[in-house]
Amino acid sequence: MQRTSSLIICLAYLLGISLARVPGIAYVWLLGAGVLALAMPRVWRKGPRGGVWFGGGLVGFLATVYLQATIPQPAADEVARYANQEVTVAGVVLDQPTLNRNQRLRFRFEAQTVLSLESEESQESEESEEPAQEPVSVSGTLYVTVDPEQDEGLHPGLAVRLSGWLYEPSAPQNPTGFDFRDYLARQGIFAGLRAETVHWQGATETSGWGWWQLRDRIVASHRQGLGTSRGSLVSAMVLGRQAVSLPYEVRDRFIDVGLAHALAASGFHVSLILGTVLGLGKRWGDRRTVIVATGVLLFYVGLVGWQPSVLRAALMGFAGLLGLALERRVNPLGALLLAAVVLLLLNPLWIEDLGFQLSFLATLGLVVTVPGLVKAMDWCPPGLSPLLAVPLAAMLWTLPLQLAVFGQMPTYSILANLLATPFLVVVTLGGFVSAIAALISPELGQLLVWGLDYPVRGLLVIVTWISQRPQGAIVVQPLHLWQVLGLYALIGGGWLVQQRQYSRRYWFYGVGVVMALLILLLPGSLAKANLLRVTVFATNREPAIALQQGWNTTVIYGGDPQVTRYGVLPFLQQEGVDRLQAAIATSSTGEGWDLLLAEATPRSLYRLSEVGLFGDNGGTFLAPGAELMQPSIRIKSQSNRPPILRLEVGDRTWLVVGNLSPDQQRDLRQRYRFSEVDYLVFFGRWFEEAFLNQIRPTVILMPSAIAEEATTPVTDLGARLLYLDEVGAVQWTPETGLKGLLETTPSRRDLS
C-alpha cells in the first residue's frame, strides 16, 4: 500500500508540471483533489485512502505553481532593455565557447555593466555632441557569438568586455521554423550579442579552477593524437557533443542514421563506466567497489556537466550501487521514476526539454521492453538478441515523440546500431582510458588515442555508408497530441499484455499494429487529400515559394543555403515530404541546392537561368513562354533575364518578380505584355508606376518596409502591402485566403 501511495504522489507531481502551462489547470487540481478523495476509496476499496488521493491532487497543484514560478522573467535591470543598438558590455563568460553552424563561436555571457550605447539614430548623426554614456549596471545572461579569430583564450570565469550588436531574438518567421527566442527564454536569456570585438585589455580571472580545464586538456590531447575531426569525435563520445566543437557534417550523419545517443553523455556511457569498474572490482569486495564506482561516477558527472540525460543515468546508477551495497534488488522502473522526480524537483523546466523526454522514454523502453524482446528472440544467437533488442526497444518508445517533433525516423537505425555497437564500445572505452591518461600526461593520452585510429575510421565508414543508402528516413506528417497519446496507449497496452502472458496476445499485437498504422497515417492522408496551398517564405534576398496540391509539392527559389537549411527543409520535413514533384531554380549559383537535392530529391528539376546548376547542364531550362501544368496549378516562365514566373493556383494568379529596379520594370513593360494578377511577390525597393498599373495586384508581398515615398504608387492603386519581416511567411488556401504566420504573434517581447 505504501508503494502505491508513493507512486500516486510521484505521478501527480510529474503530471502537474507536465500540464502546468494549461490555463486554469491549478484550479482543476484543487477541485480534483476533493473529488478523488471522496470518490476513489468507494471505487477502489482496497486501494489507498482518501487522504492519499487528496495529497496527490495537492501535489499536482503545487507542481503547477512551482513550474510557473520558475519560468524565467526579465528583471527590472535586464540587459535586453538596451537591445537593437551597438553596445560595449562587461561581464563574465559562463561556458566554454563552441562553434555553431555559421562557424562562429557561441557561449553564454553574464552581463554586469553596459559601458557604451550607440543606437541606429546616433550612428546616423556622426556630428552629435552628446556627452559619453555613463556605465549602467545591468543583469541577465546574453547569448554571444563571435568570430573564431577573436578567441585568444575565452573560457568560463573570464571577466572581459565585448563590443557588438545587441539584439532581441525574434520569433520564427517561417512555418516549423526553430523558435530561437523561446529556446533562449527557457534558459533565462532574453537578448543576444553579435560581438565584433573582444577587449582583452583589463580581462581578469574570476575563478582559479574549473572543470572546463580538464575538458580542454582531454579534447586537445585527442585532437593532437587523431587530428581535429576524428579527435573531436572521440572527445564527443566521451564528454558529449555539447562540450566539443564537433564538425556538423559528422554530427548530422550520426543523427541521421540513428546513432545520436553515441554523441550524448547518457546511460550508454554510465553503463560502460559502471560495468568496467564493477568488473575490475570483483576482487575488492562489494563495499570498496561501490565506493570507487560512486567516486568515478561523481567525477564523470562533474566532467561532462549537468546535462539531464547524464544526471538521469547517474541517479539510476547510484540506485544500483546502493542496492549492491545493501544487498537488495533495485526495481529499475521505480529507480527511473524516482530519478525523474528528483531531477524535475531540481529544475521543473527540464520537462519541456526534448533531450530529457527522449532520454527517459528510451530508458523506459529498455527497462520494460528489452527482457520480453530478448525472450521473444530466443531463436537468435545468444549474443545477437540483446544487440537487436536494445535499439528496437529504445526506438519503439521514442518513435511517437520523434514523429511528433521531426516527422521522420531513421530507416536503418537498427542496422546502424547492430553494426556500430562493437566499434562504439571500443572507441568509447578507449576514449575514457585515453582521457584519464591525458589528465595525467597529455603525451600519454595522445599515444593511447592514436591506437583508436582504425576503430574510429571503421565507425565513420559504417556511418557514412548507411547515411548514403536510399530512403534513409521514413517521413510522415508530424503527429498531433492525440495521435502521440494513442500510440503510447497501444505501446503500453502491448507491454501489459506481454506481462500478463495472455493466451491470445498475438491477436492483440496484430490489432495493435493495425490501429497504430491507422492512427499514424490516416489523419495525414485525409488532410492531404484536398490540400491546395501556396507558401511564401519570409526571406530577405530572393523569393522562396512552395506550391502544394495533395501529396505533390513544388519548390521555387534561388538556392540560398540559409533559406534551405532554416526555411525550406524544415517546412518539407514538417509536411512529410521526402520527394518533390518539381523544383524550379530562379538562380543557378545558390549553394543550398546540394543540400536540398540530398534531402528531398525532385522528380523534375527546372531552371530559369541559361547556365546549368552545379556548373553543368543540370536542370531543364524553362525558356520564356514555357509552362508547367499540374492539376489546379499552372506555372509559366515569363522572363529569364530577370527571372519572372506567373503562377495560377486555383482561381488566383501570382506574379513572382524578385528584386527589380524601376529601370528593369520599365524595360520589362516594354518587352512583354503582363496581364493583371491578384498577388505580386516583389523584392525590389521602388515601383515603376506604369508597370504596377499594368499588373494591378490587390496584395503586394515584400521582404521588409520601404521608404514612405516609394509606396505612393501602391496607395494610388489601392493595393495592400504585406511585409514578410512583420507578418512572417504568408500562406494562401482557397478556404482562408492569405494568412501571415506572425499576424497574431507579437514580434517583440514586452520589456516595459
Side-chain angles (χ1 to χ4, degrees), residues 478-507:
L479 309 183
H480 298 289
L481 178 60
W482 70 267
Q483 292 174 284
V484 175
L485 296 177
L487 289 175
Y488 276 120
L490 291 175
I491 294 173
W495 172 67
L496 289 175
V497 168
Q498 189 269 333
Q499 290 291 105
R500 299 291 183 180
Q501 292 292 313
Y502 291 123
S503 57
R504 303 180 65 180
R505 59 183 180 276
Y506 293 105
W507 178 86

Side-chain angles (χ1 to χ4, degrees), residues 559-603:
D560 182 275
Q562 297 292 329
V563 174
T564 305
R565 186 177 299 279
Y566 301 112
V568 175
L569 285 181
F571 173 79
L572 296 179
Q573 179 179 306
Q574 182 75 12
E575 294 297 314
V577 177
D578 61 349
R579 188 170 178 83
L580 294 168
Q581 178 68 20
I584 301 176
T586 56
S587 170
S588 297
T589 60
E591 298 177 359
W593 283 109
D594 286 330
L595 182 59
L596 177 71
L597 298 181
E599 298 292 334
T601 306
R603 291 184 174 89

Side-chain angles (χ1 to χ4, degrees), residues 377-523:
M377 292 188 291
D378 55 3
W379 47 272
C380 291
L384 183 61
S385 54
L387 288 178
L388 290 173
V390 169
L392 184 60
M395 184 186 71
L396 179 66
W397 281 86
T398 58
L399 182 59
L401 180 60
Q402 191 172 351
L403 293 178
V405 176
F406 303 112
Q408 62 181 23
M409 60 162 288
T411 306
Y412 307 107
S413 175
I414 296 177
L415 176 64
N417 279 273
L418 181 63
L419 296 179
T421 293
F423 292 90
L424 292 177
V425 172
V426 171
V427 174
T428 305
L429 281 177
F432 283 135
V433 173
S434 63
I436 295 172
L439 296 178
I440 301 171
S441 168
E443 292 76 15
L444 179 60
Q446 295 173 33
L447 179 63
L448 292 178
V449 80
W450 180 80
L452 297 175
D453 186 42
Y454 284 107
V456 171
R457 289 178 183 271
L459 176 62
L460 288 173
V461 167
I462 291 173
V463 172
T464 302
W465 178 76
I466 294 177
S467 68
Q468 294 173 347
R469 297 306 91 201
Q471 299 297 322
I474 298 174
V475 181
V476 300
Q477 194 161 1
L479 309 183
H480 298 289
L481 178 60
W482 70 267
Q483 292 174 284
V484 175
L485 296 177
L487 289 175
Y488 276 120
L490 291 175
I491 294 173
W495 172 67
L496 289 175
V497 168
Q498 189 269 333
Q499 290 291 105
R500 299 291 183 180
Q501 292 292 313
Y502 291 123
S503 57
R504 303 180 65 180
R505 59 183 180 276
Y506 293 105
W507 178 86
F508 177 87
Y509 295 154
V511 173
V513 169
V514 172
M515 292 182 64
L517 291 175
L518 290 176
I519 292 174
L520 191 63
L521 302 176
L522 187 59

Side-chain angles (χ1 to χ4, degrees), residues 67 78 107 126 185 227 302 313 328 385 398 422 424 435 447 487 499 521 612 644-645 673:
L67 183 136
E78 170 65 45
F107 55 92
E126 297 179 358
R328 295 181 59 181
S385 54
T398 58
L424 292 177
L447 179 63
L487 289 175
Q499 290 291 105
L521 302 176
I644 296 179
L645 287 173
R673 176 65 183 175

Side-chain angles (χ1 to χ4, degrees), residues 324-335:
L324 180 63
L326 299 177
E327 298 183 350
R328 295 181 59 181
R329 186 176 180 275
V330 175
N331 182 346
L333 198 57

